[in-house]
Structures are given as C-alpha cells and as structure tokens.
Amino acid sequence: MKIFISHSSKDKIIADAFLEQILISGCGVSENNIFCSSIEGLGIKNGNDFRAYILKELLEADYSFLLISNNYKKSDICLNEMGASWAIKNLEVKPFIFPNIDFNSIGTLYSVKQASKLNDGFALDELFEEITTRYNINKSITRWNKYKSNFLETVEKYRKDHLVNISPSPDEYFNQFIQE
C-alpha cells in the first residue's frame, strides 16, 4: 500500500488536514504508506534528488491524490506530477479540486476524468469506502464522520481565508466573449 499526495506547498494546511483527518485518522492508513512532500517526515529525505525521489514514489504508489488549487495550477512541479500520474499504468488517480476551482479549469489531461470537490462529503464517503475495502481496514463509520466533518470545516475556513475566485476557464472566457 502506497499513497502519493500531489499538492502545492502553498496549500500545506489542506494537504496536512487531508493526510491527518481523511487518510490516517479517518481511513486508517499508516503514515508510513503515504508520501507528501511538504509534510515533515513524509517527504523527500535530505540529500536526495527530488525529481528521482518523486518519480520513485509515484511508480511505487497505488493512488495519486491531486489536490488542485490555484496554487497547484501555477506550479510547474505540480503540473509535472499531474502529467506523470496520468501516464503511469495501474495508478489510481483521484483529482480533488478546491471549492473555488471550476471543473472546466482543471486542465487538458483531466478534462475527461471525473473529479470531486474537496468539500464534497459524498465523494469523501466514497473514498473512505474504497480505501478501507481495498486495504481491508476495519474503521468505525462514526469515527469516520467525525474526522470528515473536521476536514470539511478546515476546507471551509481555508476557502474563506485564502481562496479567491479564479479567472474564467477558456470555455467560460469564450462564452463571456460571445455574449459581449
């Protein structure tokens, strides 16, 4: 079992909450099975070539969670991780987008893939079921709901404090242009 979390280091608060509240506490995944570059102890070890290390972690992963924000879309490293995730055979790629991101603005590689909002409780429930079933982890649904609720509160606070509406996606921009 190995999970790769692709995110912008500028969104560390959300990556940390996803890791702690959803994966570790909620689903019961051991932190030893998670790679998250900006979380202390779960990232790239001192002295390693970060490109080779990220590739190694992606190739060993069962899942790649893409936590897509405006910061993510502006990061060359994040976009490279997104492209590599898409290209790796047998890697389950799960794009989760921040609340203020439009589905049409995710990017060309994922315009045909299903994505979920980070604040979609139903999508998180599906993730809980998928992870606990795949890895045969026995977790209490009551405890899961507590951690999910905490995570959703964190996302909402972050949305209010940090996120601004993005510029229109190309489709939205074109539609605006036609209307004008």
Side-chain angles (χ1 to χ4, degrees):
M1 170 191 323
K2 188 69 171 184
I3 293 174
F4 185 95
I5 300 176
S6 177
H7 69 291
S8 168
S9 60
K10 293 179 181 177
D11 301 319
K12 181 181 177 185
I13 291 169
I14 296 298
D16 191 33
F18 185 81
L19 182 140
E20 290 290 336
Q21 296 169 6
I22 298 299
L23 294 177
I24 295 174
S25 297
C27 293
V29 175
S30 168
E31 70 179 26
N32 297 327
N33 295 324
I34 301 171
F35 173 81
C36 188
S37 62
S38 67
I39 305 299
E40 297 77 13
L42 301 180
I44 301 167
K45 310 298 183 238
N46 188 10
N48 285 308
D49 175 339
F50 78 92
R51 294 168 298 181
Y53 201 91
I54 287 172
L55 180 60
K56 174 188 152 304
E57 292 294 325
L58 267 172
L59 289 171
E60 293 175 356
D62 300 315
Y63 285 95
S64 177
F65 291 103
L66 312 178
L67 306 183
I68 303 171
S69 68
N70 288 324
N71 295 324
Y72 188 98
K73 294 181 347 172
K74 293 176 186 172
S75 166
D76 288 342
I77 292 173
C78 291
L79 296 177
N80 287 336
E81 289 174 357
M82 179 190 280
S85 294
W86 178 77
I88 295 173
K89 187 177 181 178
N90 299 324
L91 178 63
E92 290 285 334
V93 181
K94 302 286 186 186
F96 281 91
I97 62 177
F98 279 57
N100 288 8
I101 299 288
D102 182 87
F103 284 106
N104 293 328
S105 66
I106 294 175
T108 305
L109 291 177
Y110 282 93
S111 63
V112 296
K113 285 234 178 214
Q114 183 65 31
S116 297
K117 296 269 189 176
L118 274 173
N119 60 348
D120 181 346
F122 180 74
L124 294 173
D125 288 342
E126 285 180 335
L127 176 64
F128 170 79
E129 186 176 348
E130 182 176 338
I131 295 286
T132 56
T133 300
R134 179 173 185 170
Y135 297 121
N136 198 27
I137 301 170
N138 187 16
K139 288 295 286 187
S140 162
I141 195 71
T142 304
R143 299 296 296 160
W144 160 252
N145 282 325
K146 174 190 179 284
Y147 294 118
K148 178 181 74 170
S149 178
N150 291 344
F151 176 73
L152 292 172
E153 287 173 14
T154 301
V155 170
E156 180 58 19
K157 182 179 182 330
Y158 192 79
R159 184 191 67 78
K160 287 180 179 176
D161 292 346
H162 295 92
L163 296 178
V164 295
N165 287 324
I166 60 168
S167 57
S169 69
D171 290 341
E172 293 168 328
Y173 183 79
F174 181 73
N175 288 338
Q176 280 179 337
F177 177 74
I178 294 298
Q179 286 178 356
E180 290 175 6

